[in-house]
Amino acid sequence: MFENKDQSRTSLSELGEFGLIDHLTKNFTNKHKSTIKGIGDDAAVLEHSEKQIVVTSDLLVEGVHFDLSFMPLKHLGYKAIMVNLSDVYAMNAEATQVIVSIAVSNRFPLEALEELYAGIELAAGIYNIDVVGGDTTSSTTGLLISVTAIGTTAPEKIVRRDGAKVGDLLVVSGDLGGAYMGLQILNREKEVYKVNPNAQPDLEPYAYLIERQLKPEARKDIIELLEKLEVQPTSMIDISDGLSSEIIHLCKQSQIGCRLYEEKIPLDPQLISACEEFNLDSTTVALSGGEDYELLFTIPQTDFEKIKANPHLSIIGHMVDEKEGMDLVTRGNTLVPIVARGWNALKEED
Ligand code: ADP
Ligand code: MG
């Protein structure tokens, strides 16, 4: 994980800006009919007739959003695409194009950027999106990546945060808290490595959690599943900051309350053992740990039969009147108000 990959190093200045852009983008091919002109002109040209277009952007900053001492650049490229596609899917739209901008300091050799772009290319291939442009500039400090994603959908398919109704079921995909615990494990190994660079960490028992942190997947499959099951969520959001704050967003925007059942929150067995080891409460981690990129949505009760047996989906609560508040129903059957702390707050407590 922490080995010194002292491969060949080609200085960025050898290529110049245009040479660099050409080199990094030479493998990108356009798969969508809607991409009329991709990389290579002053702007990309897209044609999305009769559909609504969703556009979203995320900026990732070295030292704030990622730590290159344990984040391989290929994974970073992949993740930068995922965090954006996740927002497109959270609107119930199909992601079609992305624009990728980078600011990079000269401490990075060309080979490092090749790795970054290998991850971007991999994501674009698997998720069927075209990389249609970007910008490349220098940075005096670290690496910055900004991705803008574009998606389309029929107007009646769009799902916003503000459509949840009293009585709707609250549903989440996958399991929660894994990405946060993966980060805790990576940070711990980094400290061990600083003291003893020869230590060989056994990360196998945490493989799933580390993958959740380093190689998240946006839930395109869930959007396709909902389409197949003929379920149109009434509201939806992706889980980037933690379950609590996303639930609060849905409730506030829909002017509604909720009951979230602690015992229903989906947790992976690896997460439960890692929480025991770190002496952390797994419910707190699921509520406040971020970066899971799962989808949280509400559906009418009449759709219960369509989703009840699905292994990818968990019904974790239901929506109530705004006056009844937003509460967690604990395993001991007491009501505790849901508070948004987000994963940054959790971090400060450590
Ligand atoms: P301009 O001078 O108009 O900003 P650039 O020389 O920066 O144009 O970019 C040339 C082409 O390469 C454009 O199509 C732009 O969108 C694309 N491009 C620039 N940087 C990147 C990048 N990091 N990733 C993908 N495409 C890029
Ligand atoms: Mg430019």
Side-chain angles (χ1 to χ4, degrees):
M1 177 173 54
F2 303 109
E3 74 269 35
N4 179 15
K5 295 205 201 80
D6 200 12
Q7 305 148 331
S8 59
R9 292 174 63 91
T10 311
S11 155
L12 292 182
S13 55
E14 281 175 41
L15 280 121
E17 185 191 328
F18 300 127
L20 175 64
I21 294 171
D22 286 347
H23 185 80
L24 293 178
T25 60
K26 65 177 188 298
N27 292 333
F28 290 129
T29 51
N30 296 321
K31 304 176 275 283
H32 285 272
K33 271 208 312 264
S34 56
T35 306
I36 308 295
K37 172 71 190 167
I39 292 169
D41 212 311
D42 297 309
V45 182
L46 310 178
E47 183 170 295
H48 290 296
S49 42
E50 285 161 36
K51 297 230 169 145
Q52 284 191 345
I53 298 172
V54 301
V55 185
T56 175
S57 186
D58 266 291
L59 174 63
L60 301 180
V61 178
E62 185 181 355
V64 179
H65 301 100
F66 57 89
D67 181 339
L68 287 176
S69 58
F70 51 68
M71 185 77 172
L73 280 155
K74 188 171 174 183
H75 287 68
L76 177 63
Y78 194 89
K79 185 168 176 174
I81 302 296
M82 287 310 121
V83 303
N84 279 276
L85 298 192
S86 181
D87 283 320
V88 173
Y89 300 139
M91 300 301 291
N92 202 27
E94 180 202 2
T96 48
Q97 285 93 7
V98 293
I99 287 176
V100 180
S101 297
I102 56 172
V104 55
S105 81
N106 57 14
R107 90 177 142 90
F108 292 91
L110 174 66
E111 288 73 16
L113 295 186
E114 285 174 348
E115 281 293 298
L116 181 76
Y117 270 74
I120 293 171
E121 205 183 316
L122 183 65
I126 294 174
Y127 284 79
N128 190 33
I129 44 166
D130 295 341
V131 180
V132 296
D135 198 23
T136 308
T137 186
S138 56
S139 138
T140 49
T141 48
L143 178 65
L144 287 87
I145 309 174
S146 166
V147 177
T148 298
I150 295 161
T152 64
T153 190
E156 66 277 11
K157 285 267 163 198
I158 295 260
V159 180
R160 298 157 41 147
R161 295 178 177 182
D162 60 6
K165 301 276 180 298
V166 172
D168 282 355
L169 302 173
L170 183 64
V171 185
V172 72
S173 64
D175 54 72
L176 299 174
Y180 176 82
M181 282 316 289
L183 183 63
Q184 300 316 298
I185 288 151
L186 289 164
N187 275 325
R188 182 177 72 180
E189 295 312 324
K190 183 181 169 184
E191 292 310 310
V192 172
Y193 177 83
K194 275 189 202 157
V195 180
N196 178 7
N198 295 320
Q200 283 294 327
D202 177 16
L203 296 177
E204 187 49 37
Y206 313 108
Y208 175 70
L209 304 176
I210 291 171
E211 185 165 323
R212 294 287 285 168
Q213 170 59 221
L214 295 184
K215 193 169 177 287
E217 302 289 349
R219 299 307 305 257
K220 181 184 198 215
D221 59 328
I222 298 295
I223 297 310
E224 291 165 353
L225 177 70
L226 292 173
E227 167 97 37
K228 202 177 96 201
L229 298 174
E230 295 178 14
V231 173
Q232 169 79 7
T234 49
S235 69
M236 183 152 60
I237 189 168
D238 73 319
I239 302 196
S240 49
D241 294 331
L243 182 61
S244 310
S245 55
E246 316 305 1
I247 288 180
I248 292 172
H249 283 308
L250 288 188
C251 285
K252 288 207 166 145
Q253 296 216 19
S254 299
Q255 298 180 307
I256 205 168
C258 80
R259 292 291 175 270
L260 165 68
Y261 292 86
E262 181 178 20
E263 62 179 5
K264 304 282 188 201
I265 298 174
L267 304 173
D268 186 85
Q270 268 190 23
L271 177 100
I272 295 169
S273 26
C275 284
E276 278 169 14
E277 192 184 328
F278 279 74
N279 206 11
L280 287 171
D281 175 47
S282 55
T283 301
T284 309
V285 168
L287 287 173
S288 301
E291 297 197 292
D292 287 318
Y293 302 107
E294 295 297 342
L295 292 172
L296 175 73
F297 54 94
T298 53
I299 59 169
Q301 265 183 40
T302 46
D303 281 341
F304 171 72
E305 292 294 328
K306 295 182 188 168
I307 69 144
K308 68 171 185 200
N310 198 288
H312 302 288
L313 302 175
S314 306
I315 301 170
I316 56 173
H318 61 268
M319 312 316 275
V320 297
D321 196 272
E322 192 174 20
K323 290 195 292 290
E324 295 179 59
M326 299 174 274
D327 286 323
L328 175 74
V329 183
T330 68
R331 288 197 180 83
N333 212 23
T334 52
L335 293 187
V336 181
I338 298 171
V339 286
R341 295 196 302 169
W343 73 296
N344 284 324
L346 204 95
K347 216 159 118 190
E348 275 153 28
E349 267 175 25
D350 296 347

